[in-house]
Amino acid sequence: MKVLTARNMKLVVSGLCSLIFAGILSVAVVRAAEEEKPPRLVPILKIDEELDKRTVIKPSLIPGGGNGLYAAVNIKQGDVIGMLGGQLRSDEDYPPGNYYLASIPECAWEETKPYKYLDSKHFGAHVSRINFAPKKINGIETGLQNSALRQLCNYPYVIFVALRDIAPGTEIWASYGPHYHYDQFMYEPAVKDFFCSQAKIDCREQYSFEP
């Protein structure tokens, strides 16, 4: 990513006036891995931090799933669980291989230009830790997904909403959409057995899934 100095910071600010004046953009300092390089300033989309108080991040139930997100309070069907937030990225600094990347819908690009993506790896809200669960296994509805990603044409652009009532202590799962690379993880024996068990589907003879 291009280093933002005092000289070119004005150009970035002028290109994001609408976001700054709306109070939805902040700037974070990222320290370079190499000590001799100066820190970088990166644009960060603000979130409603009050929403994060309704959830808690802790180890996922999914084998090898790392951290997951759990309801800390009762969340009602249709409620916004959280705003994704994160570092704003353009085509020029698109980070390949980053699994925490979400697309800002095209209908919002005029408002967010030159940025088209949200990178929630380091600056995302709690919902950036929602893990995937399959919608179908062997063509059968699993009922495992209790949340869904929604893209909006206006700020905050990407949110997660509850598909049904979610009780405190319940892990929150969603689909990452049709273009995510699931196969390597989803065909791990422990992961396959976990989801088949959760959905009460016999996967001994065959196993396939739909996101």
Side-chain angles (χ1 to χ4, degrees):
M1 180 176 177
K2 185 177 181 180
V3 175
L4 299 183
T5 63
R7 178 182 298 176
N8 61 23
M9 187 62 187
K10 290 182 179 179
L11 297 176
V12 173
V13 171
S14 64
L16 291 169
C17 279
S18 61
L19 297 180
I20 293 171
F21 293 145
I24 63 177
L25 182 74
S26 61
V27 177
V29 177
V30 179
R31 297 197 175 278
E34 301 86 355
E35 294 270 339
E36 66 274 10
K37 290 187 178 180
R40 296 174 297 154
L41 298 177
V42 297
I44 306 298
L45 190 70
K46 289 184 177 180
I47 59 164
D48 182 352
E49 295 182 356
E50 289 298 311
L51 290 173
D52 274 359
K53 296 178 180 179
R54 308 178 70 201
T55 57
V56 60
I57 298 171
K58 60 183 182 179
S60 175
L61 296 172
I62 303 169
N67 282 329
L69 189 67
Y70 295 76
V73 300
N74 285 305
I75 299 175
K76 297 296 184 183
Q77 181 178 359
D79 281 359
V80 175
I81 299 171
M83 305 173 179
L84 183 61
Q87 179 181 342
L88 289 156
R89 297 271 195 175
S90 66
D91 287 333
E92 293 182 355
D93 69 341
Y94 184 93
N98 183 343
Y99 295 117
Y100 291 89
L101 210 64
S103 296
I104 295 172
E106 189 172 351
C107 58
W109 287 357
E110 182 63 28
E111 187 171 283
T112 64
K113 63 183 180 183
Y115 301 107
K116 297 179 180 179
Y117 312 98
L118 283 173
D119 179 356
S120 62
K121 185 172 184 179
H122 298 297
F123 301 103
H126 278 194
V127 292
S128 66
R129 268 49 189 178
I130 290 177
N131 273 325
F132 167 77
K135 180 179 177 62
K136 292 183 179 181
I137 292 177
N138 295 342
I140 303 169
E141 292 279 350
T142 65
L144 297 177
Q145 295 177 6
N146 51 14
S147 69
L149 181 149
R150 297 282 185 262
Q151 293 178 307
L152 309 174
C153 294
N154 302 105
Y155 171 82
Y157 312 119
V158 181
I159 62 174
F160 281 84
V161 298
L163 294 178
R164 58 175 179 266
D165 292 352
I166 305 174
T170 304
E171 185 167 5
I172 300 171
W173 292 329
S175 173
Y176 294 165
H179 304 299
Y180 192 86
H181 299 292
Y182 301 98
D183 285 2
Q184 182 175 355
F185 182 73
M186 286 298 296
Y187 284 100
E188 289 286 336
V191 174
K192 180 193 77 172
D193 291 346
F194 173 80
F195 283 125
C196 291
S197 174
Q198 289 288 311
K200 296 180 172 57
I201 296 173
D202 186 352
C203 299
R204 288 175 293 181
E205 296 298 327
Q206 65 171 356
Y207 171 69
S208 63
F209 70 92
E210 297 175 33

